[in-house]
Amino acid sequence: MVPLGTAALGVREEGESGGTGMRGFWRERSQAAKLDLYMRVVLYVMPWLFAVGILAPLAQELVRGPDAVALARGLVALSVAQCAVAMHTIHHGLAHYVDGAPAPRRSAALALALGGVSAGLLLTLQAIGGIGDGTVMLQLLPYALLTPAMSTFMLSTLRRLVLGTVVAAALVAGAMVATGAEPPLAVSAAVVVFFVGLFALATTRSTAWFMAMIWELDRSRDVSARLAVAEERLRFGRDMHDVMGRNLAVIALKSELAVRLARRGRPEAADQMAEVQRIAQESQREVRELVRGYRDADLSAELEGARGVLSAAGIDCLMDREPLGDGLPSGVQSALGWVVREATTNVLRHGDARSCTVRLTSDGGRAVLVVENDGAEGGPAPGTPGSGLAGLRERLTAVGGTLRAGPAGDGRFRLTAEVPLAQEALVQNARGQGVQAQGVRAPEAPGMRLQETRTPGARAQEAPAPGAPARGALR
């Protein structure tokens, strides 16, 4: 639940150290982006590890002859070239597999060609006796083929990849037999090629699939949030239509009828306008009830809803609640329910929390609600408080409560709401917020109509003065 701002996003301010900038580079990323970056770095580093790995057996087992040394140097140079091509191919291959970008066919073909040349150099070294017995060749063969396999295993279907691995194994085995190798050694080389294909499937292809699933789930989460907002808007519009549609249609018909009767000088016009007034007042009452139903939040329902929403988003939610929620005054429940709702929304939108704790306790005649999560990436930007927190402060002020929100240390963000439980304090605060005027008494319950002051023996005015609101008008 981190307010938006440069500090929350982890942007390094001018004058800060480079270390802070590196932390911000990592912290400003979402969980999906962090995992994506980690997997990409692993895939980019692995080919270079293979290039380094080929040096040890090659240096130990190489027969120091002029031809063997030249072939070994060429093999090392090809390994470095394969790594450089793999960086480009893996980057664009991930974009192709995850985002549907064009496939890097040319660089993939170049990677396969380099892999074939590397395998040819190994076979030549084996044929001229430059690397001792055949076991050394079997040790070096995976280093020569893993990099091109990683470069190409994101660009085709599984069936074609398996078929290509079989063809590569057959070609390597046939080439070894053609160069005078024993059949068992050729079969072992084919098994090594199969192992290379299996390793590429288990690393490169599965990593690309996992990254695609992560981003798909991230997009689904965003779409679900948008659909929830749209569904709530539709529900409000449907309820408003059901409440006001029929009444407004009746008001329009009766007003038209009253106009026609008035033009004819018929006394029934006044009866029709009185009916219009009654329907309008009834519509006003229904709209107030509808709005009150949307504005009032049930604390127990909001707590359970927060648990379900956070759990669905993969956030561990711990509810520490004393058995006092249902016994709170309705105004307190509504205010704290809105705090829970807004806090849950902020946890989902503004942070990358893995756990969230909600505590509802009673402390010295006050209900205390604490919502704390570990998704804080920085403090709130000074002077830019969020509109959601400002709205919560207004709701809590109306019932004499207070709201505190800010970092709690160790990457945690804490929101604390306190509301007095004394009914007298609530009443006094409500009276202090109201406007006392002659002829109008402070409403004691939501939806009460204003009452006019009447002089003894005088008849109340049926119509308001010009420019003044009608009695019972919606404010």
Side-chain angles (χ1 to χ4, degrees), residues 260-271:
R260 293 181 180 180
L261 292 175
R263 288 176 178 175
R264 297 176 184 177
R266 302 283 297 274
E268 291 87 349
D271 297 335

Side-chain angles (χ1 to χ4, degrees), residues 110-277:
L110 179 59
L112 289 175
L114 293 176
V117 174
S118 297
L121 290 179
L122 281 176
L123 292 175
T124 305
L125 277 173
Q126 174 67 27
I128 66 174
I131 52 176
D133 56 9
T135 58
V136 179
M137 192 269 182
L138 296 180
Q139 294 177 13
L140 294 175
L141 188 60
Y143 294 107
L145 298 181
L146 275 172
T147 299
M150 290 183 62
S151 302
T152 57
F153 266 49
M154 290 178 290
L155 308 181
S156 185
T157 62
L158 290 177
R159 181 179 299 178
R160 293 179 179 177
L161 292 176
V162 173
L163 179 61
T165 302
V166 171
V167 172
L171 290 176
V172 171
M176 292 192 67
V177 172
T179 56
E182 297 294 332
L185 184 62
V187 173
S188 299
V191 173
V192 169
V193 176
F194 277 114
F195 168 77
V196 169
L198 180 63
F199 183 83
L201 282 175
T203 55
T204 309
R205 185 59 177 253
S206 62
T207 299
W209 172 82
F210 191 54
M211 291 170 62
M213 291 299 100
I214 289 173
W215 285 115
E216 183 66 24
L217 291 175
D218 189 71
R219 287 189 292 267
S220 299
R221 175 180 170 182
D222 183 65
V223 171
S224 298
R226 294 177 183 272
L227 289 177
V229 173
E231 182 180 358
E232 184 65 18
R233 289 176 178 173
L234 289 174
R235 186 167 73 95
F236 185 83
R238 182 174 61 250
D239 292 347
M240 183 63 71
H241 176 270
D242 294 341
V243 169
M244 295 298 297
R246 180 185 62 84
N247 290 351
L248 289 176
V250 174
I251 288 174
L253 290 175
K254 286 187 172 294
S255 299
E256 182 181 0
L257 178 59
V259 169
R260 293 181 180 180
L261 292 175
R263 288 176 178 175
R264 297 176 184 177
R266 302 283 297 274
E268 291 87 349
D271 297 335
Q272 295 296 328
M273 291 308 300
E275 184 67 14
V276 168
Q277 182 183 23

Side-chain angles (χ1 to χ4, degrees), residues 281-407:
Q281 291 175 350
E282 182 67 18
S283 300
Q284 176 187 0
R285 182 187 62 79
E286 293 178 352
V287 170
R288 282 178 175 173
E289 292 179 354
L290 175 64
V291 173
R292 188 185 308 118
Y294 276 90
R295 285 183 139 180
D296 292 342
D298 182 77
L299 181 57
S300 299
E302 292 298 334
L303 289 173
E304 293 301 322
R307 186 204 302 270
V309 170
L310 293 175
S311 299
I315 300 174
D316 294 333
C317 184
L318 174 62
M319 290 287 179
D320 184 5
R321 175 185 176 187
E322 292 184 359
L324 53 82
D326 297 333
L328 295 176
S330 59
V332 176
Q333 287 201 48
S334 178
L336 293 182
W338 277 101
V339 173
V340 174
R341 184 181 300 182
E342 180 67 21
T344 304
T345 302
N346 287 344
V347 170
L348 295 175
R349 293 178 57 188
H350 300 327
D352 294 315
R354 293 179 295 275
S355 64
C356 181
T357 303
V358 181
R359 293 190 298 272
L360 177 62
T361 59
S362 175
D363 182 14
R366 301 175 70 87
V368 181
L369 176 69
V370 179
V371 182
E372 184 174 331
N373 70 91
D374 61 353
E377 298 171 354
T384 58
S387 59
L389 296 181
L392 290 182
R393 287 190 175 93
E394 293 176 359
R395 292 180 182 274
L396 291 175
T397 301
V399 292
T402 58
L403 179 71
R404 298 190 306 273

Side-chain angles (χ1 to χ4, degrees), residues 53-95:
I54 200 175
L55 297 177
L58 190 62
Q60 293 175 1
E61 304 295 337
L62 182 67
V63 177
R64 302 297 177 178
D67 296 336
V69 171
L71 290 175
R73 290 176 178 175
L75 186 61
V76 173
L78 281 175
S79 298
V80 175
Q82 285 179 346
C83 294
V85 174
M87 295 288 288
H88 179 273
T89 308
I90 292 175
H91 174 74
H92 291 279
L94 287 174

